[in-house]
Amino acid sequence: SSAAFGMLGMAAPERSAFQRDGFVILQRMICPQLCEALAARLTRVVAGESDTGRLPDAVDAGGGNGRRTVHVTNIWKGDSLFRDAVCSAALGQLVAETAGWDGARVLQDQVFLKPGFGGPVAFHRDEAYMGEDVVTCWIALDDCSPRDGTLEYVPGSHLWPGQGRAGFVRFLYDKKEQRRKLHACLREWNTVQLEQGLDQLGEEDLQSVFVDVPRGGGSIHTGRTWHGSSENTSSRPRPGLSIHFVPVDCKLREGDGRWRIFGKYASPDSDSMLCEHFPVSW
């Protein structure tokens, strides 16, 4: 129910921060009790259980040894509690109003369980994988701090140049890749600025803002915002739920930025997105 969610809308200052920085951090998105229940259900899904008659699109158990990140894609298909959370009208409305949309549709969800002392995730842009107009809601299923390798953003980086696959990183868990593409994008930005006689950015402008929130807090970011995470220097696993949204009237067309991943779910008769794969939440 909507009572499980901490808020149904954003105040004007938070919305303006989203437009300025490319993200907004929220201390309360869903209640802690729901987070605990979802974390327990995650364990069951990874073990192969389902209470919906369907399975997630992909389950990577991380080798089962607790040393690699567990990654589940579209867990909403395989678990009813995750489905209720991912597809909730409250979150859909929050994202739609933040992005200025008339309504919101779930493109995909992803659950990441970074193990204790787990490695970094390279900085990237969701647009490179999900196509344009994607907005991501990230929810911490346990307390998250910089020590735990929480999500990090580079403020204002959604305004930097580079379209389509420019923010794509092939090996997201390769330590050598952590900031390589981010620096390349900064150099491109400075080239454009120099040509126009405008101020350039320096290394100090790459300082990250950490999503330092209690269980149930999180963030919303644009598909063009550069983000990643550092190593988990604690012994605690760090679970997080990412929900990627698109406008309710979004189309799926061959050749667009989404087709490579999501074309297999296309309707044979039209470019409309099928609700059985891309549910409308609000």
Side-chain angles (χ1 to χ4, degrees):
S1 73
S2 61
F5 295 83
M7 59 197 312
L8 295 178
M10 294 178 63
E14 292 173 324
R15 191 174 295 112
S16 63
F18 175 81
Q19 294 168 342
R20 180 192 67 233
D21 298 330
F23 65 91
V24 64
I25 297 172
L26 303 170
Q27 293 297 309
R28 170 71 178 264
M29 298 182 78
I30 67 176
C31 73
Q33 293 80 6
L34 177 57
C35 288
E36 292 179 20
L38 290 172
R41 298 291 273 267
L42 173 62
T43 301
R44 297 177 189 174
V45 171
V46 171
E49 295 183 25
S50 169
D51 66 354
T52 64
R54 304 174 70 184
L55 294 174
D57 284 351
V59 177
D60 180 351
N65 54 22
R67 292 195 293 268
R68 284 201 300 115
T69 295
V70 173
H71 180 201
V72 183
T73 303
N74 278 339
I75 195 171
W76 72 266
K77 293 182 179 180
D79 183 85
S80 59
L81 188 62
F82 269 102
R83 180 190 61 211
D84 291 346
V86 169
C87 302
S88 75
L91 281 183
Q93 180 180 2
L94 177 62
V95 169
E97 292 184 347
T98 303
W101 299 339
D102 292 331
R105 183 186 293 272
V106 174
L107 180 67
Q108 186 186 73
D109 74 46
Q110 299 185 83
V111 180
F112 295 93
L113 180 63
K114 179 184 284 192
F117 307 111
V121 175
F123 277 75
H124 61 283
R125 279 173 162 166
D126 290 344
E127 176 187 79
Y129 305 83
M130 309 280 178
E132 62 182 12
D133 293 329
V134 65
V135 169
T136 298
C137 170
W138 183 82
I139 301 172
L141 299 183
D142 203 346
D143 298 344
C144 279
S145 70
R147 181 169 178 261
D148 304 312
T150 191
L151 198 61
E152 306 172 31
Y153 295 115
V154 179
S157 58
H158 62 307
L159 304 175
W160 296 0
Q163 300 290 330
R165 303 266 286 172
F168 178 83
V169 178
R170 184 175 182 184
F171 300 109
L172 284 170
Y173 299 112
D174 186 340
K175 290 184 179 181
K176 298 190 296 295
E177 292 285 343
Q178 189 184 14
R179 285 181 170 252
R180 186 178 67 83
K181 282 289 187 76
L182 179 63
H183 283 95
C185 187
L186 180 69
R187 290 192 296 271
E188 184 180 347
W189 168 266
N190 282 336
T191 298
V192 173
Q193 293 292 92
L194 182 63
E195 291 173 350
Q196 297 178 358
L198 300 174
D199 292 339
Q200 300 180 59
L201 298 176
E203 286 296 315
E204 66 278 6
D205 296 298
L206 292 181
Q207 293 298 311
S208 296
V209 172
F210 294 90
V211 183
D212 191 347
V213 295
R215 174 186 297 158
S219 58
I220 302 173
H221 64 264
T222 78
R224 290 184 53 76
T225 304
W226 284 91
H227 63 286
S229 66
S230 300
E231 293 184 35
N232 183 355
T233 59
S234 76
S235 60
R236 297 189 315 120
R238 191 270 281 167
L241 169 63
S242 294
I243 311 169
H244 308 288
F245 292 90
V246 290
V248 67
D249 57 355
C250 182
K251 305 298 183 184
L252 184 59
R253 299 186 176 103
E254 187 170 2
D256 72 12
R258 273 179 276 277
W259 188 266
R260 186 177 61 88
I261 293 177
F262 303 106
K264 60 186 175 182
Y265 301 124
S267 165
D269 305 315
S270 75
D271 57 8
S272 296
M273 302 185 86
L274 299 173
C275 289
E276 64 185 278
H277 299 296
F278 309 105
V280 174
S281 56
W282 186 75

